[in-house]
Amino acid sequence: MNEAGLSGPGLLRQAAWIGGVERTSNLWIEVFNPATGEVLGRVPDLGRDGAAEAVAAAREALPAWRGRTAKERSVLLRGWYDRVMAARSDLARLLTAEQGKPLAEAEG
């Protein structure tokens, strides 16, 4: 599957986000469609150090998140929900291709 098959440009990302920064690598892990063997994309292999950086970035972000009011958090989470629902069909197609999950189940 490629970006051209999706209605939402930019949805298929082949990077990791750590601390608000897009990260790539010279090492990659290919993601396959289990039904066809087709390569759907690839993700950066950031290894142990990348995982540690991601955990540290999450730990650093927690105090600011915890400091927000419930209303502020709900507004942010609702915005995320709205974006997921707007991309529902594309996300379901990606899940189906990557996992072999039935499309109707992925859309649910």
Side-chain angles (χ1 to χ4, degrees), residues 1 13 34 42 48 67 70 77 89:
M1 174 175 287
R13 304 300 293 257
R42 60 186 192 161
R48 185 179 302 220
L77 290 172
S89 293

Side-chain angles (χ1 to χ4, degrees), residues 19-87:
V21 177
E22 187 175 60
R23 298 276 307 273
T24 61
S25 172
N26 292 329
L27 301 174
W28 296 90
I29 300 168
E30 291 185 328
V31 179
F32 296 92
N33 178 326
T36 65
E38 170 192 14
V39 175
L40 299 172
R42 60 186 192 161
V43 294
D45 182 349
L46 299 176
R48 185 179 302 220
D49 291 342
E53 288 176 40
V55 170
R59 191 171 286 128
E60 288 174 26
L62 182 59
W65 178 255
R66 190 181 287 150
R68 292 181 182 272
T69 66
K71 177 66 176 172
E72 290 170 325
R73 288 183 287 202
S74 73
V75 168
L76 291 169
L77 290 172
R78 181 57 194 224
W80 179 256
Y81 169 82
D82 290 341
R83 288 188 295 278
V84 167
M85 288 298 103

